[in-house]
Each structure stands twice: as C-alpha cells, then as structure tokens.
Amino acid sequence: MVELIIWTIIKILFILFFVTLPLAGVLTVVDRRESSMIQDRIGPNRANLSGDVWDLSKRWRFLGLLHLLADGIKMIFKEDYSIKSGNRWIHTFAPILAFFPGLVILSIIPFGGNVTVFGSSTNLQIASFDSGMLLAFAFSSIAVYGITLAGWSSNNKFSLLGGVRATSQMLSYEVVLGLTLMGIFMIYGTLELNTIVQGQQSLKVDGTPDLLFGFLPKWGIFLQPFAMLLYVAAATAETKRAPFDVPEAESELVSGFFTEYGSMKMGMFLFAEYAEVVIFSMIFTTLFLGGYHVPYLYDSGFILPFGWGSLSINPTLVGFIQMLTFLLKVIIVAWGHLVIRWTLPRFRYDQVLRLGWKMLLPLALANIIITAIVLSFI
Amino acid sequence: MAKKGIVVSKHKYTLSEKLYYPEILKGMGVSIRHFFANIVKKKYTVTLQYPEQKESYAERFRGKHRLMTREDGSLRCVACMMCATACPAECIYIEAEDVGDSLVEKRAKVFVIDELRCIFCGLCVEACPTDAIRMDTGEHVEPEYTREAFIYDKKKLLQNSGRSVAIQGGDPDYIHKN
C-alpha cells in the first residue's frame, strides 16, 4: 500500500512537473519559433543572459528558452486587472476552471510500460480505471465551462461572443470526438488506455507477435486510419486552435473569451491552450500510435517480423526505452499539430459547425457501422 | 432598363479539394519544407537583425548635413547665402563676418540648420560653390528629446567634418594671372 502511494506520487510529479508543464511551456516558445520558420521569419531571439554583448552569435540564449522565463516574469508583473462590472468571482475562477480539469486527464495516460526499480514493479500509469477515456471526455467537457464562464462574466460583447462560439463549437465537436473513438474501443474491447496500448502490440498465446498482414503492428493508425483523420479534426477543434480558433478569432473578436483578462489570468488561458495540445498529443499517441511501444519491441526484447531474428533486452531497460519513446512520439505529434495550426486559415463560424455536424458526425457514424460489420465477420 | 450583369463562374472544386485532407497535407508539406529549409540554413529568411546589422544606404543617399573644412582646418563656407537662398524649406540661417582676406572675404559667424524643417532635398549641396556643405554622412538625424536639440549649430555640423580638397572659388592662381 505504501509502495503504491509512493509510486503514485512519483508518477504524478513526473508526468506533471517533468513532462506536461515543461513541454507546454516549451511549446509556447516552439510555437513562435516554428511559426517564424514556416513564414520565413527569424522569430523571437532577443532574450539572453549575456548582458551587453553586441555580437548576436555570442549571446547566451539557451536555444531561446529564456523567452519562456521572460514571458513568465512579464505575465506576473503585469497589472492583475479585475473588472469593475460583470461578475468578479466567476471572472477570477474561470481561468482555473479552464486550466486544471485538463490536467486530470493525465492520470489515465500510460506513459511507459512496466518498470522495476529497487525490486518494486509498477505500470507507468497513474490510475487505471475501467472507465478510462470516459474520464478524459468528462474532464475535457468541464474545461468548456471555464471558457464559457470567462466569456460570460466579463461583461463584454466580444468576450460573450467568444464564449458562445466556444460553447457551441466544443459541444458539437465533443460528440464527434466520442464517436470517432468508438471504433478503437470496439476493436480493443476496452476503454482503459493501458489495455488499449497493450492490445496494439502484443504477443499471441503461443509467443509469436500479433501483427497485421504479418508485419504491421496493430496500432490504431493502421486499424482505424479513417477514425484517425476524423479524430485529428475534432481534437484540433477541441483545443480551439487554428483552423478552429473561432472562439479567440483575433481578427474579429479582439481576443475572444479572454479579452478582459490580464496578467497571469490571461497567462493561464494561454498556457491551458498549450497544455491541451500536449494532452491531445498524448491521447493521440496512446490511441493511434501504439502508445509507448517501439515497433517490434516486446517486454522481453525485439522480435522482428518474417522470422528475421530476435534480440532479448532487460525488461526494466525496455520499460525506460518505452517511456522515452512515448515522450518522443508526443513531441512529434505536438510539433505536427503546430504545423497544422500555422498552415491552415480559420474556418468561418458557420463552416465550423457545418463541418462538425454535417460532415464529421455522419462519417464518424459510418466508421462505427463499418467497423462493427467488419468485426462481426472476424 | 435592365442592367447588364456579369456572370461570375463559380470555382469548381476538385475531388482532392472536396476531401480536404489531401490539400491539407499538401499545405503542410509546404510548411514543413519551409520549416526545415529555414531551420537548417535560413534559406528563405531575409530578416535583418536591425540594431546589430544595418542596411547600407545607396551611395547618393541624402542624410544628415555636415560642413567641410580646408587644409588648415577652417570652415570652407564663405557665407555666400546660396544654400539659404536655394533652400525651399528655409531651414538654413547664416550670419556672415568679415575675414579681411582678399580671396575669401567672408566667413560664416553663425551657421544653423533646423533639421526638423529640412526636407532633405539636397538643393543646398547643389547650390554651394565651395563644397562647404554636404549630405553624404549616410546617417539619419538622430532622435532628440527637445525641439531645440534639432537646431544644429556650426559645432554640431562640424562633428562629422572632413577636409575637402576642392579648389575654392575656382583656381586662385587664375586671379593673379589676369
């Protein structure tokens, strides 16, 4: 019992303070640098610790990560503006409600395989619920309240419009989000994420790898490619980033639901956006990219397809390799998500809803039906 | 009377455009190409890091004025008022004083240019018969805190001064020969 509690605390601290929050922070800088690289600019490169050095290349810039620090200091020391009209309590509470429920989703994500340290063995997943993804859906819907209340309590037309847009968009896409993943749940027969990950790359009863066509691991992306495309669209809409950033819409609504926010409260909204990107990447990796699995690497070591041989590796080492693999996959997916954001222009508000209800929803339903028919014949 | 309308043909979407995803992937391909080309060796980037790197102006750029000197370090200006006359903005003020030299006769006791009034047309440079005023510093007028600071006196105009070897008032020997 004590062992379980200690492991849980270690896992919570690790996934929160060593993975998600630093990664979300780094993404704020990466987003700006990446956008500038895509748009043929140079981007922010001024923050440095070397003081009065004229030569740009000789400044200590730490890969631009100091901008994160500079941003934090700036946000904290800005005026913490509290509105004179509107509901101040809800106004203060909304950023918290928008930021923290998303972090709860981290508890169900398996970020590595089974590791053994000092004779104590554990799965690298904070909590293993049978409800699994339902918890993720539940808490991502709570985040909608934060946005809506922020827009509503600000007593500002732009904020209200942003809040209303966010509500209708996120509610519509939550339906699609749930339905696109039904195919995955039907194939792996569970909602629990660690079981899904193990189902994506496992050994058969006789010890041979369970592969698709003899060489492809049974990852979600290979079994449900269509659901993957729909999920990317729906999840991008859930994170409220371009091309689905109608709630924020700088060109129309100043800055949407957080127009009336300043200082660290606004910082929380911005940070929540990147935290959502990280969480989206984690869920995407878990469901579609085989989670923490390296292709052909099983608990006992590599087993290559077509009988090309095998290589046995220490199981604990495998656990750590899998953890690093998971992080690498998350980083790559997050990077790709940012590329989408800097490639596509914004959908119009009515186009967003039409896409959600008239295109993605029927396609998701069709995907479920086809998956069900195929599964009934296997 | 019926107005003549223009028939606008609607864009016919191809299959890949209707499906969104192929076109999105194409667009992402462009983004990724630019990303890697720029991150590896700044292939498309044209940004100038301003305070450290500066764009060099054209050779004939008309910048801040300066006054030129002779070999002995005295001001070349003979207070002929040509520049002040030519100036369309009337930003040059000159007070002359006697030198007591038969060749030069006059010199500028006060030479003031109001850089806020100046329109940088360069007519003063063209008008000057003695090559005393030039606009070839290649610099902007620096920002100041007060309007008074923009009124450049002789001292300030001589800061970037250089020696001009142009023969003043024509060839001096010419006068003596005739």
Side-chain angles (χ1 to χ4, degrees), chain A residues 41-174:
Chain A
R41 295 181 285 115
I42 284 180
N45 62 351
R46 291 282 147 180
N48 67 79
L49 275 186
S50 48
D52 201 12
V53 177
W54 189 249
D55 192 349
L56 263 178
S57 58
K58 282 180 187 156
R59 288 180 188 163
W60 303 337
R61 298 198 289 114
F62 300 100
L63 297 168
L65 291 178
L66 288 171
H67 279 274
L68 177 60
L69 195 71
D71 252 6
I73 293 170
K74 180 195 79 173
M75 287 286 187
I76 288 167
F77 284 100
K78 272 192 170 183
E79 184 190 356
D80 189 8
Y81 177 76
S82 59
I83 49 172
K84 293 199 177 66
S85 53
N87 193 323
R88 269 180 63 189
W89 292 108
I90 295 178
H91 185 262
T92 311
F93 186 58
I96 300 169
L97 201 57
F99 182 56
F100 286 102
L103 297 181
V104 178
I105 300 173
L106 294 172
S107 64
I108 57 158
I109 289 169
F111 54 94
N114 199 293
V115 291
T116 309
V117 180
F118 302 126
S120 150
S121 172
T122 185
N123 271 331
L124 287 179
Q125 181 191 22
I126 295 168
S128 171
F129 296 116
D130 286 340
S131 49
M133 269 308 284
L134 291 184
L135 182 108
F137 290 143
F139 276 94
S140 67
S141 353
I142 289 178
V144 183
Y145 286 93
I147 311 289
T148 313
L149 291 178
W152 206 350
S153 63
S154 293
N155 192 25
N156 177 325
K157 295 287 185 290
F158 291 122
S159 298
L160 181 62
L161 275 173
V164 168
R165 284 180 175 196
T167 317
S168 58
Q169 176 184 323
M170 290 176 81
L171 287 181
S172 317
Y173 278 83
E174 234 149 53

Side-chain angles (χ1 to χ4, degrees), chain A residues 86-323:
Chain A
N87 193 323
R88 269 180 63 189
W89 292 108
I90 295 178
H91 185 262
T92 311
F93 186 58
I96 300 169
L97 201 57
F99 182 56
F100 286 102
L103 297 181
V104 178
I105 300 173
L106 294 172
S107 64
I108 57 158
I109 289 169
F111 54 94
N114 199 293
V115 291
T116 309
V117 180
F118 302 126
S120 150
S121 172
T122 185
N123 271 331
L124 287 179
Q125 181 191 22
I126 295 168
S128 171
F129 296 116
D130 286 340
S131 49
M133 269 308 284
L134 291 184
L135 182 108
F137 290 143
F139 276 94
S140 67
S141 353
I142 289 178
V144 183
Y145 286 93
I147 311 289
T148 313
L149 291 178
W152 206 350
S153 63
S154 293
N155 192 25
N156 177 325
K157 295 287 185 290
F158 291 122
S159 298
L160 181 62
L161 275 173
V164 168
R165 284 180 175 196
T167 317
S168 58
Q169 176 184 323
M170 290 176 81
L171 287 181
S172 317
Y173 278 83
E174 234 149 53
V175 178
V176 181
L177 202 63
L179 288 175
T180 49
L181 295 182
M182 286 312 289
I184 291 280
F185 302 146
M186 283 153 79
I187 288 172
Y188 301 111
T190 178
L191 287 163
E192 206 280 309
L193 288 176
N194 200 25
T195 321
I196 292 179
V197 172
Q198 278 163 4
Q200 296 192 27
Q201 192 163 330
S202 57
L203 295 172
K204 283 183 198 158
V205 186
D206 59 351
T208 52
D210 187 11
L211 295 171
L212 198 66
F213 308 126
F215 69 100
L216 276 180
K218 283 193 168 175
W219 291 3
I221 191 171
F222 300 123
L223 293 177
Q224 288 274 308
F226 194 59
M228 191 269 297
L229 294 177
L230 298 181
Y231 177 77
V232 169
T236 312
E238 277 292 293
T239 54
K240 302 183 295 301
R241 285 167 66 78
F244 298 102
D245 62 341
V246 280
E248 202 180 315
E250 299 95 342
S251 52
E252 302 159 29
L253 300 180
V254 189
S255 74
F257 54 87
F258 59 86
T259 307
E260 290 287 331
Y261 283 87
S263 183
M264 212 51 207
K265 286 182 203 158
M266 188 189 77
M268 273 173 96
F269 276 120
L270 298 179
F271 202 64
E273 193 179 306
Y274 290 100
E276 268 175 33
V277 172
V278 175
I279 290 160
F280 153 77
S281 309
M282 283 179 171
I283 292 177
F284 183 81
T285 308
T286 307
L287 291 174
F288 291 100
L289 294 182
Y292 48 74
H293 282 305
V294 186
Y296 315 122
L297 179 65
Y298 299 90
D299 290 346
S300 55
F302 279 103
I303 301 175
L304 294 174
F306 308 123
W308 283 348
S310 57
L311 179 73
S312 69
I313 296 174
N314 183 354
T316 301
L317 186 63
V318 170
F320 283 109
I321 290 174
Q322 286 173 335
M323 194 176 81

